[in-house]
Amino acid sequence: MSRRWIQNPNRCADEYLDGIEDFIEFARRHNPGANRIRCPCRRCNNTLFESIETVGFHLVRNGMIETYSIWNLHGEQVDHASSSNAPRVDNVEPIVDPNDQVMGIIQDAFPFASTNINQEGEDDVPTPIDSAEFEQYEKLLKNANQELYPGCESFSVLTAIVELMHGKIKYRMSNLCFDYFLEVFKRMLPTDNCLPKDHKHAQKVLHGLGLGYEKIHACKNNCMLFYREHETLDTCPICNESRFKMTSQNRTTKIPQKVMRYLPLKPRLQRLYMSMHTATDMRWHKEKRVDDDVMRHPADGEAWKEFDRTFPEFAADPRNVRLGLATDGFNPYGVLNQHHSTWPIFAFPYNLPPWKCMKKEYMMMTVLITEDPGRSIDVYLRPLVDELKDLWTNGVRTYDKSTGRMFTLRAAVMWTVNDFPAYAMVSGWSTKGYMACPVCKEDVTSGWHAGKVCYLGHRRWLPWDHE
């Protein structure tokens, strides 16, 4: 009996559910009369005993241990004599050359850099990249082919930087710590090595891969952003506050009062279609989702279906992206600074299957506000709102790796995810006072009682004869 279903990441697939039933029958057959058996889910890890019904529920919710293909803890007999003579075959992932991986990253970032013929009039044929992008492509290609030091065949300059930056992010190293280790590695290597001397120079090398961010200055009093039509101003036209801090006259660079970081959404959505796997998963909600009136994904909900009925042109192409937005404030300094608050704003694509759409790998930070925006978070949302409007109205030309064709990618925000105080900031509807309910709004039943505002309409949705 094949047990490949254990490796299936989709725990809603028929293959997986049938495999669980086979395991439960196997456990009952080999443990007659037992009320509790070891639970082989990833959380219990065969260390806890649960009822057979609970074990089945855990396997659906948590998944089975991927390496538990021989059920010896549940009664399966292993023929040690025959297995010792048989050649052992391990499921070892193929070793991929890191230099080949980096070249693959470059090809994904510039999928048609080698195109040199502009076939106008054909909508599905990608047009050549412009000279600036081609220059970035050539710089990356040069660093990918350049040896880290003369005679080094294992690592190119770009491969070494990508590996080190990956480790920095994975293990949450600070920039100072990263600079220290770069300096140590540079001293360890031969003197004519090409390793960058610090984090700043490493970022410059990777800049050509895209997915950077923009710094946008803001008014000290959160009145406006120095953005687009106000980009050249030095004072706020609303409160007349200076855009820059007062510094000595000898200083050549000006320091802004407030800065927000904006991470453009379009290139991040386009990047989802530059990989064969994610490009296919972005159509999962339409092509592979099981429609059996069971709620497993937002696409099974009535709001999604009503949106499709209201905007059939948008729903016609399953590659159009349905987004969710989430934000909340937090204090990264703990008790060291009680008044500081940082507000990141994330977008996540609901097109992906349920086991991927809420993973951190697919969450895209679009805005980073490094100071408490107060009630003016809408001011900082303006660049994102402008880009979302353009994505809804015009879209952006995107290359689909799975089909090898260009298409117009559009996006829509379906939901926002916030706690109740953040809901007030994002929506603009106060969640305090006499009209705090964002559903009832002006029709809310509220009054002053016992020194606080009380909401006395809690029975309004019940039938008149409810007990």
Side-chain angles (χ1 to χ4, degrees), residues 1-12:
M1 181 176 59
S2 173
R3 293 174 182 171
R4 289 181 301 176
W5 60 270
I6 299 175
Q7 311 291 335
N8 191 344
N10 181 6
R11 297 197 287 273
C12 298

Side-chain angles (χ1 to χ4, degrees), residues 117-315:
I117 300 174
N118 188 0
Q119 304 179 25
E120 295 183 2
E122 296 187 28
D123 192 49
D124 292 330
V125 177
T127 55
I129 58 178
D130 57 32
S131 57
E133 289 183 352
F134 191 74
E135 185 179 349
Q136 289 180 345
Y137 170 75
E138 285 188 322
K139 285 182 179 178
L140 287 170
L141 209 58
K142 178 183 176 182
N143 287 319
N145 292 322
Q146 183 180 5
E147 295 177 343
L148 182 60
Y149 57 85
C152 177
E153 298 180 357
S154 303
F155 286 93
S156 67
V157 175
L158 189 60
T159 304
I161 295 174
V162 169
E163 291 275 0
L164 291 170
M165 291 291 281
H166 176 70
K168 175 187 183 299
I169 295 170
K170 185 176 180 179
Y171 298 107
R172 302 177 182 180
M173 295 170 62
S174 67
N175 290 352
L176 288 176
C177 179
F178 188 73
D179 288 347
Y180 170 76
F181 281 109
L182 269 184
E183 184 183 353
V184 171
F185 293 153
K186 197 168 179 64
R187 293 202 309 266
M188 289 179 178
L189 296 173
T191 55
D192 51 353
N193 69 81
C194 302
L195 192 69
K197 63 180 181 179
D198 54 23
H199 176 254
K200 183 177 180 180
H201 286 79
Q203 277 192 317
K204 287 182 179 179
V205 176
L206 296 180
H207 178 71
L209 290 174
L211 303 186
Y213 65 90
E214 304 171 9
K215 289 183 179 180
I216 302 177
H217 299 173
C219 173
K220 180 181 179 180
N221 299 319
N222 300 324
C223 302
M224 52 158 281
L225 296 178
F226 294 95
Y227 167 74
R228 288 196 174 177
E229 67 272 14
H230 302 308
E231 189 173 1
T232 59
L233 299 180
D234 288 337
T235 57
C236 173
I238 299 173
C239 65
N240 293 323
E241 188 71 36
S242 174
R243 175 178 180 174
F244 302 100
K245 295 179 180 179
M246 297 293 294
T247 57
S248 62
Q249 296 180 352
N250 297 330
R251 189 180 181 90
T252 56
T253 58
K254 298 180 180 179
I255 303 175
Q257 301 268 19
K258 276 189 178 181
V259 180
M260 65 162 279
R261 273 81 175 172
Y262 180 64
L263 298 86
L265 186 61
K266 289 178 182 177
R268 284 161 174 79
L269 295 180
Q270 289 176 312
R271 193 60 61 92
L272 290 173
Y273 287 95
M274 290 181 180
S275 168
M276 181 71 72
H277 302 291
T278 53
T280 305
D281 285 338
M282 289 295 284
R283 303 193 303 271
W284 178 91
H285 67 97
K286 186 76 171 180
E287 298 176 355
K288 296 183 180 180
R289 180 177 59 90
V290 179
D291 192 2
D292 56 357
D293 295 329
V294 177
M295 187 71 175
R296 302 187 185 94
H297 186 270
D300 297 315
E302 188 58 34
W304 188 294
K305 297 174 183 177
E306 178 63 25
F307 186 87
D308 287 351
R309 290 191 290 267
T310 307
F311 304 102
E313 183 183 353
F314 183 91

